[in-house]
Amino acid sequence: MTSEFELIRRHFSRPTPQAILGPGDDCALVAPSPGMTLAITTDMLVEGTHFLPDTDPSRLGWKALAVNLSDLAAMGARPRWALLAGSLPEACDSWIGAFAEGLFACATRFGVDVIGGDTTRGPRNLCLTAIGELRAGTALRRDAALPGDDLWVSGQPGLAALGLAHLQGITRLPEALAERCLDSLLRPLPRVELGLCLRGLAHAAIDISDGLLADLGHILERSGVAAEVFVAQLPPLPPDADPVLARRCQLAGGDDYELMFSASPEKRSELAALAGKLALPLWRCGHLRGSVPGSLAVFGEEGQLLAIDQRGYDHFG
């Protein structure tokens, strides 16, 4: 039987040029660039909660790192290092090899060194910690939104939740749309470049992991502001999907890892230029008010106030 250390050596021992000392000792040693602050985040992916048992391990490896890099993107931090801790039910060399392939593909794409971690036997549970850096005082924080700000969202939130609904048999999507949605679900693209460019343009930001409205609620709570969201200004729904389900996925589905952010109306032309530069749609979908802190009003296609019974996912809700 292959030992734990042999599996680590075979699949996870890679050069770590951004670290002083990488895997192999009790700790890794890293140093931030001069004048920079570290941003640190961690996320777990648990089988049966965050992914299905038959999920492609290569895509899972990509996603395990990508969801953490999305948190760094939401703060405007540049990714540098990551650590992986995981429990696995068995030492399956082919599964671990495919997982590592996806993990390091994501790490290479975003310039991240995997500098250490831990493994043990148990239910499949993958926990990544990602570390980035940014200049002091430049972070995009949830508590920095201001009354009068525009609300923006990137990309097309809702596709990942539609993909999950397809996998679960809740809906049947046409082949081309299904593949697009499954790619959004299983191989999300963290908006790292957008986050870096938003420093100095946006006031507050958050990545959409639990649902657009749920995650917006965290900005409203931390910043003490209220919001109005207009669904007519969100991305158009996929024409081949059930419109009721697609809208619910867009507003409350989560797992998209797009960025929602607030910015002064004076920045509209700069943000339009940024969307063109990045070839990434940015949708101005609402605004913030100084009324009842934390309150949220959502308006439908005809301008009517909508009753929203679900804002997003809650692990203990």
Side-chain angles (χ1 to χ4, degrees):
M1 179 181 292
T2 306
S3 72
E4 170 191 359
F5 300 104
E6 174 60 21
L7 286 172
I8 293 171
R9 186 199 62 76
R10 185 182 306 165
H11 298 295
F12 296 100
S13 294
R14 310 284 178 98
T16 55
Q18 298 185 90
I20 297 168
L21 180 65
D25 214 312
D26 288 307
C27 295
L29 300 176
V30 300
S33 303
M36 304 297 273
T37 298
L38 294 181
I40 304 171
T41 184
T42 190
D43 253 313
M44 281 191 294
L45 294 181
V46 179
E47 185 175 274
T49 300
H50 300 98
F51 62 94
L52 300 175
D54 61 352
T55 298
D56 176 350
S58 177
R59 283 181 157 184
L60 184 60
W62 174 285
K63 184 172 182 176
L65 180 56
V67 301
N68 284 271
L69 300 188
S70 182
D71 284 335
L72 295 181
M75 299 289 287
R78 184 178 299 281
R80 295 290 305 276
W81 307 283
L83 299 101
L84 167 66
S87 64
L88 300 170
E90 58 181 343
C92 177
D93 192 75
S94 60
W95 192 97
I96 294 172
F99 175 87
E101 179 184 7
L103 175 76
F104 283 103
C106 187
T108 299
R109 167 69 175 78
F110 293 100
V112 173
D113 283 356
V114 180
I115 56 173
D118 188 32
T119 59
T120 188
R121 183 187 294 274
R124 190 168 280 121
N125 179 359
L126 305 157
C127 183
L128 267 289
T129 298
I131 306 168
E133 62 179 16
L134 68 166
R135 292 205 174 276
T138 65
L140 301 170
R141 295 171 46 150
R142 297 180 186 183
D143 62 0
L146 298 174
D149 277 359
D150 291 329
L151 276 176
W152 297 77
V153 68
S154 67
Q156 188 160 3
L159 293 185
L162 263 181
L164 179 60
H166 177 80
L167 286 178
Q168 293 174 329
I170 296 171
T171 189
R172 295 306 303 172
L173 301 175
E175 183 177 353
L177 178 58
E179 184 53 38
R180 182 182 173 202
C181 291
L182 291 174
D183 203 46
S184 181
L185 174 67
L186 300 173
R187 203 175 187 275
L189 192 65
R191 301 302 187 184
V192 171
E193 189 173 6
L194 173 61
L196 295 173
C197 292
L198 287 177
R199 293 182 302 192
L201 285 177
H203 290 145
I206 193 169
D207 71 326
I208 300 175
S209 57
D210 293 325
L212 186 151
L213 296 183
D215 289 315
L216 170 58
H218 297 311
I219 290 180
L220 304 185
E221 179 184 358
R222 294 295 299 275
S223 294
V225 294
E228 294 182 346
V229 172
F230 303 92
V231 299
Q233 295 171 212
L234 288 167
L237 300 176
D240 296 330
D242 175 338
V244 175
L245 175 62
R247 182 67 76 195
R248 187 162 67 245
C249 289
Q250 186 180 69
L251 293 175
D255 233 12
D256 291 294
Y257 304 99
E258 296 291 353
L259 295 188
M260 169 162 268
F261 57 94
S262 79
S264 167
E266 297 176 358
K267 301 295 185 181
R268 290 177 184 176
S269 60
E270 291 177 72
L271 288 167
L274 178 60
K277 173 187 172 184
L278 299 181
L280 174 65
L282 299 178
W283 308 88
R284 182 165 53 88
C285 59
H287 52 251
L288 301 179
R289 295 190 178 279
S291 54
V292 181
S295 65
L296 171 62
V298 182
F299 296 91
E301 298 278 0
E302 307 302 323
Q304 75 280 22
L305 183 64
L306 299 180
I308 303 295
D309 58 359
Q310 183 179 1
R311 294 190 179 188
Y313 183 76
D314 183 343
H315 287 281
F316 299 101

